[in-house]
Amino acid sequence: MNTHSIHRRLLLLIALLLAPGFRLAAQTSPYVIPFQGRLTNQQGVAYSSGQYTIVFNIYSQSIGGTTQWTERHEKVGVTNGMISVFLGSITPLPTTTGNPPVAFFSTTRYLGITVDADDNAATADPEMVPRQMIIPAFHAKNADKMASQFGNYDWSVVFGTGNDPGASNVSLTKIPTLTVDKLPNSIPASKLEVGAALANLTSSGVSGVTSGGIVLSANPNDTLLLDAGYTKLGVGQFGEGWRQMANATITDGGGGINPYAVGNPVYCWTGAPRNEFISWGGGISTSDTTNVGARFNVLTGVWTPMSTVNAPTKRATAFHGWTGTELVLWGGSDGVTTLTDGKIYNPATDTWTDLPPLPAEVSLIRRANSGNRSTWINSPTLNALFIWGGSDGSPPAARGDGALLRKSGGTWSWTQISTTNAPNPRYEPCVVWTGSKIIVWGGYYRQVNTLLNDGKLYDPFTNTWSPTSMSTVNAPSPRGQASFCWTGTEMIVWGGFADPNTNAATGTGAAYNPTTDQWRTLPSAGLSARFAACSEWTGTEFVVWGGTTYNEGVYNVFDDGARYSPTTNSWTKLPSPGRLGVTAGASAWTGAELLLFGGTKYTAGSWRNDIWSYTPPRTLYLFQRN
């Protein structure tokens, strides 16, 4: 399957400008919808200028359903992400539907947009999500007079033959290109930064939206729009959905293409401007790992192999973090033994560099990060990889010590983490960075075969642990390999491995507030008990997908999930079908969508190289220009 992953950011210049009902001739003339929009990633970085084939479809529902109209536009010009097309110029838009017939746009329709990645109509490409609402509110009052106003003009240069715009489809290739810099009172493209478009236009006395045009905003009381002369019309709900993107592949030394199928890799999301999901290493079987990796660009939908020159030795479950410009990793397991080294990867130069050796005053025994989650500390005055706990050897013993790998400018250094008041040794705990403290909770104390439900707070600025343990009142039951996140005020914990003797899992959860040292119990998620599920915080919700149970040597994976809202204290099941179930996968929240990559069922041939995107539902507010 060919894939493409352009996103449209619905900010200030969304284009349902002249919408259905705009026409230049009599009742027999075709409907034409001028559609304008800006193709960006979720951080607002414009898509590269060029020509693309874009397919537009209209549906009667926001998710699924049958296409009611389709039109393929080839060689659409994109300049700094901006596109402008006439819908209905190639394939006439329907005027009526149903029996008895009613006006096609008398009810809400939904516009789906697909970028044909390989410019081949015979191969399928994923549709962008969510679909955009077309509401039946844009009929010009004087549309019936426009034919008399324009009927005497020679339209042949645009419409091909004759003077009647209804005689043939619009020939867009005959409309001369008009660039922004040729418009009077125009604003240079360099000034059209994300979030500044409306302010730039207003300050120059130019409006990007004509009277009656519609703008969508995530802010229900957008003062910029209200002050600019817009009236709030109402609210639009944009549905959630799944889409599969390009499978990860690696070019081998002989020029062949091999799947990059792994579990428990080192991974991160880079954010803008790179907009890449990076995955390196990982398990390729129950006893072997790899030392290759790849970067997935969500704008182009393309995987790029990472350099293997000076790369670390093969491993999985390493401690890792994204610094903002580099991926740093340390430790892990090669499938046989745990490791005590690491590297730094720079995606801008596609190069690996060595970490500084451990100084004599820092003791850091080899170990693996069994929870396989990033433990990067990011603050204005401290940037460091938190390496604590984990497991060493085989069978693994839990560790209760560690070190900070600090980055200051371009210099890396090591600091021993204090053991005074430190928690008991453990691996597979929940570890989150709050912005001022590290929270360590739960996990498995292998030496005494005990799961834990206690924890401590660590201050990396003073290198001290809290003298007292976190409250256990209303705390979750003891567990390891739980799903967890930091919301900005609370650590949410759900699910996990609940009994080392019976291999039972749990499906309960709770949220911890470090300011008050209090736990609150979460309602039921409506999901089966599981551990090792992928989970991320979206900024408003905690999303859980997949996971597994283990019984008599068999991993039973799940292909369902749910999202939890702290605001409403409620769970909502994710739509199905979604991504097939795995465990030991990698996940990242990009700011607009949840990415899920790799994983396994721990059976022969079950290691995965597919990447999926889940987009949650969104509420956007409609404002109309007066």
Side-chain angles (χ1 to χ4, degrees), residues 40-403:
T40 74
N41 69 347
Q42 57 275 8
Q43 278 75 33
V45 178
Y47 195 65
S48 301
S49 298
Q51 292 184 326
Y52 303 91
T53 296
I54 304 177
V55 180
F56 297 87
N57 294 291
I58 291 180
Y59 305 84
S60 61
Q61 56 197 67
S62 60
I63 299 176
T66 302
T67 300
Q68 299 188 341
W69 171 88
T70 187
E71 184 171 79
R72 180 182 178 87
H73 286 255
E74 297 182 351
K75 297 183 179 180
V76 176
V78 176
T79 303
N80 294 326
M82 296 299 299
I83 64 170
S84 180
V85 299
F86 287 85
L87 304 182
S89 61
I90 299 172
T91 303
L93 288 160
T95 56
T96 61
T97 185
N99 188 15
V102 295
F104 184 74
F105 287 108
S106 64
T107 185
T108 299
R109 302 292 177 184
Y110 295 88
L111 180 65
I113 302 175
T114 301
V115 177
D116 191 337
D118 59 357
D119 199 23
N120 185 349
T123 57
D125 293 88
E127 185 178 85
M128 294 160 56
V129 291
R131 293 171 183 166
Q132 305 309 311
M133 183 186 301
I134 305 176
I135 58 178
F138 312 115
H139 293 270
K141 293 181 179 179
N142 298 316
D144 58 335
K145 299 179 181 179
M146 296 183 74
S148 63
Q149 294 290 327
F150 294 99
N152 294 325
Y153 286 91
D154 183 3
W155 292 95
S156 60
V157 66
V158 174
F159 293 94
T161 59
N163 292 324
D164 183 6
S168 64
N169 292 331
V170 177
S171 175
L172 297 182
T173 61
K174 297 178 181 179
I175 300 178
T177 301
L178 183 64
T179 58
V180 173
D181 60 331
K182 294 178 182 177
L183 294 174
N185 300 318
S186 64
I187 302 170
S190 61
K191 293 185 179 180
L192 291 177
E193 302 296 338
V194 175
L198 180 63
N200 286 333
L201 291 168
T202 302
S203 65
S204 297
V206 180
S207 172
V209 181
T210 60
S211 178
I214 298 297
V215 165
L216 303 179
S217 173
N219 185 348
N221 299 299
D222 197 316
T223 55
L224 283 176
L225 293 175
L226 295 173
D227 293 345
Y230 286 77
T231 300
K232 183 178 177 181
L233 290 182
V235 62
Q237 301 295 333
F238 294 80
E240 59 191 333
W242 290 93
R243 63 191 176 99
Q244 185 176 4
M245 297 182 285
N247 290 346
T249 56
I250 299 292
T251 303
D252 61 26
I257 303 297
N258 297 321
Y260 172 53
V262 292
N264 284 322
V266 169
Y267 62 94
C268 71
W269 168 248
T270 68
R274 299 204 62 83
N275 304 296
E276 290 181 322
F277 175 78
I278 300 178
S279 177
W280 179 87
I284 57 176
S285 71
T286 56
S287 60
D288 199 8
T289 57
T290 184
N291 75 330
V292 300
R295 311 190 312 266
F296 179 74
N297 188 303
V298 298
L299 298 182
T300 64
V302 174
W303 286 92
T304 301
M306 297 164 64
S307 173
T308 57
V309 177
N310 198 40
T313 57
K314 63 181 184 178
R315 68 193 68 195
T317 61
F319 291 86
H320 63 274
W322 173 249
T323 72
T325 57
E326 297 170 313
L327 173 64
V328 58
L329 64 92
W330 184 91
S333 170
D334 63 9
V336 178
T337 185
T338 50
L339 305 167
T340 183
D341 65 345
K343 299 272 187 174
I344 307 159
Y345 176 73
N346 186 328
T349 58
D350 191 28
T351 55
W352 292 93
T353 55
D354 297 331
L355 285 172
L358 288 168
E361 65 271 17
V362 176
S363 173
L364 192 60
I365 296 175
R366 66 183 188 178
R367 67 195 67 196
N369 177 18
S370 303
N372 203 41
R373 296 289 293 269
S374 172
T375 51
W376 182 253
I377 297 169
N378 183 32
S379 81
T381 58
L382 176 64
N383 295 278
L385 184 65
F386 179 74
I387 303 172
W388 187 90
S391 58
D392 64 13
S394 182
R399 302 298 310 174
D401 59 350

Side-chain angles (χ1 to χ4, degrees), residues 7-11 40-45 129-130 218 243 268-272 275-277 298 536-541 543 587-596 613-618 620:
H7 298 76
R8 276 181 308 145
R9 185 160 182 154
L10 301 175
L11 291 176
T40 74
N41 69 347
Q42 57 275 8
Q43 278 75 33
V45 178
V129 291
R243 63 191 176 99
C268 71
W269 168 248
T270 68
N275 304 296
E276 290 181 322
F277 175 78
V298 298
E536 295 290 339
W537 174 248
T538 70
T540 58
E541 294 180 315
V543 181
S587 61
W589 174 250
T590 70
E593 60 187 338
L594 173 66
L595 300 179
L596 298 172
S613 162
Y614 165 72
T615 303
R618 290 180 294 170
L620 296 174

Side-chain angles (χ1 to χ4, degrees), residues 448-488:
V448 293
N449 194 35
T450 300
L451 288 162
L452 306 169
N453 74 333
D454 64 347
K456 288 284 189 80
L457 275 64
Y458 173 72
D459 187 336
F461 301 99
T462 61
N463 194 21
T464 57
W465 292 92
S466 56
T468 57
S469 297
M470 296 161 56
S471 171
T472 57
V473 177
N474 294 324
S477 57
R479 65 193 67 192
Q481 295 192 66
S483 299
F484 60 91
C485 76
W486 173 250
T487 70

Side-chain angles (χ1 to χ4, degrees), residues 482-569:
S483 299
F484 60 91
C485 76
W486 173 250
T487 70
T489 57
E490 295 179 315
M491 177 180 71
I492 297 179
V493 176
W494 184 86
F497 187 71
D499 191 322
N501 299 309
T502 65
N503 297 320
T506 180
T508 63
Y512 175 74
N513 187 323
T515 302
T516 61
D517 189 30
Q518 292 181 333
W519 289 92
R520 62 179 182 85
T521 302
L522 299 185
S524 171
L527 298 174
S528 301
R530 65 195 66 187
F531 59 88
C534 291
S535 61
E536 295 290 339
W537 174 248
T538 70
T540 58
E541 294 180 315
F542 174 55
V543 181
V544 175
W545 181 264
T548 188
T549 57
Y550 182 77
N551 185 38
E552 296 182 354
V554 177
Y555 287 87
N556 302 295
V557 300
F558 297 94
D559 56 2
D560 63 351
R563 48 188 173 86
Y564 169 74
S565 169
T567 302
T568 61
N569 191 32

